[in-house]
Amino acid sequence: MGDCPQAVIIGKGDRQRAIPLMPPAVEALGKPQASGLVFPFGSLYYLSHRFRKAARAAGVPAHLHMLRHTACTMMVQHGAPLSLVRDVAGHSDIKTAMGYAKVYTGAAHKVLSSVFGFK
């Protein structure tokens, strides 16, 4: 994944995967650790609790896991291959990633217009 910092995590079935971290994430959360917890400041419960509390204070009914769905949807909207969405999300079956493609129907028009030279 190039020079981009990444978090190496262990997901379901003890499968390990690397998730690229964009600069704002590193700026907000710090450099990921090589092993153990990705970020040194607490458990997933702690991070999830803090996120939900901040979201509520901002009047947004959101929880941390929603960011995962948002990221996958945004990757599809910006033309990321479904295989990349699957790999970053850690899905074992590409059919799961295909669910995000259904959310964004504008992608087909955008791609076909580009392929055939329409504006």
Short mmCIF file of all heavy atoms in Angstrom, two decimals, residues 4-5 21-29:
data_model
loop_
_atom_site.label_atom_id
_atom_site.label_comp_id
_atom_site.label_asym_id
_atom_site.label_seq_id
_atom_site.Cartn_x
_atom_site.Cartn_y
_atom_site.Cartn_z
N CYS A 4 1.98 5.01 2.44
CA CYS A 4 0.89 5.40 3.32
C CYS A 4 0.98 4.63 4.62
O CYS A 4 1.16 3.41 4.61
CB CYS A 4 -0.44 5.09 2.62
SG CYS A 4 -1.89 5.42 3.61
N PRO A 5 0.87 5.33 5.77
CA PRO A 5 0.83 4.58 7.04
C PRO A 5 -0.34 3.62 7.03
O PRO A 5 -1.37 3.88 6.41
CB PRO A 5 0.63 5.66 8.10
CG PRO A 5 0.85 6.95 7.44
CD PRO A 5 0.68 6.75 5.97
N LEU A 21 -4.11 4.26 6.35
CA LEU A 21 -4.56 5.38 7.17
C LEU A 21 -4.24 6.69 6.45
O LEU A 21 -3.09 6.96 6.11
CB LEU A 21 -3.87 5.37 8.54
CG LEU A 21 -4.19 4.17 9.42
CD1 LEU A 21 -3.32 4.19 10.66
CD2 LEU A 21 -5.65 4.17 9.80
N MET A 22 -5.24 7.48 6.21
CA MET A 22 -5.05 8.76 5.56
C MET A 22 -4.45 9.76 6.56
O MET A 22 -4.62 9.61 7.77
CB MET A 22 -6.37 9.27 5.00
CG MET A 22 -7.00 8.34 3.96
SD MET A 22 -6.00 8.16 2.45
CE MET A 22 -5.17 6.61 2.73
N PRO A 23 -3.77 10.80 6.05
CA PRO A 23 -3.11 11.77 6.93
C PRO A 23 -3.99 12.35 8.04
O PRO A 23 -3.54 12.46 9.18
CB PRO A 23 -2.61 12.86 5.97
CG PRO A 23 -2.36 12.09 4.70
CD PRO A 23 -3.46 11.06 4.64
N PRO A 24 -5.27 12.70 7.78
CA PRO A 24 -6.08 13.23 8.90
C PRO A 24 -6.28 12.22 10.03
O PRO A 24 -6.35 12.60 11.20
CB PRO A 24 -7.41 13.59 8.24
CG PRO A 24 -7.09 13.80 6.81
CD PRO A 24 -5.99 12.82 6.50
N ALA A 25 -6.36 10.94 9.69
CA ALA A 25 -6.52 9.92 10.73
C ALA A 25 -5.26 9.83 11.58
O ALA A 25 -5.33 9.75 12.80
CB ALA A 25 -6.83 8.56 10.10
N VAL A 26 -4.10 9.87 10.94
CA VAL A 26 -2.84 9.81 11.67
C VAL A 26 -2.68 11.07 12.53
O VAL A 26 -2.24 10.99 13.68
CB VAL A 26 -1.65 9.64 10.71
CG1 VAL A 26 -0.32 9.72 11.45
CG2 VAL A 26 -1.76 8.32 9.95
N GLU A 27 -3.07 12.21 11.99
CA GLU A 27 -2.99 13.47 12.74
C GLU A 27 -3.88 13.43 13.98
O GLU A 27 -3.49 13.84 15.06
CB GLU A 27 -3.39 14.65 11.85
CG GLU A 27 -3.25 15.99 12.53
CD GLU A 27 -3.65 17.13 11.61
OE1 GLU A 27 -3.45 17.03 10.39
OE2 GLU A 27 -4.18 18.14 12.14
N ALA A 28 -5.07 12.87 13.84
CA ALA A 28 -6.02 12.83 14.95
C ALA A 28 -5.70 11.74 15.96
O ALA A 28 -5.88 11.93 17.16
CB ALA A 28 -7.44 12.65 14.42
N LEU A 29 -5.23 10.59 15.47
CA LEU A 29 -5.08 9.43 16.33
C LEU A 29 -3.64 9.06 16.66
O LEU A 29 -3.39 8.25 17.54
CB LEU A 29 -5.77 8.22 15.68
CG LEU A 29 -7.25 8.39 15.41
CD1 LEU A 29 -7.78 7.24 14.57
CD2 LEU A 29 -8.03 8.50 16.71
#
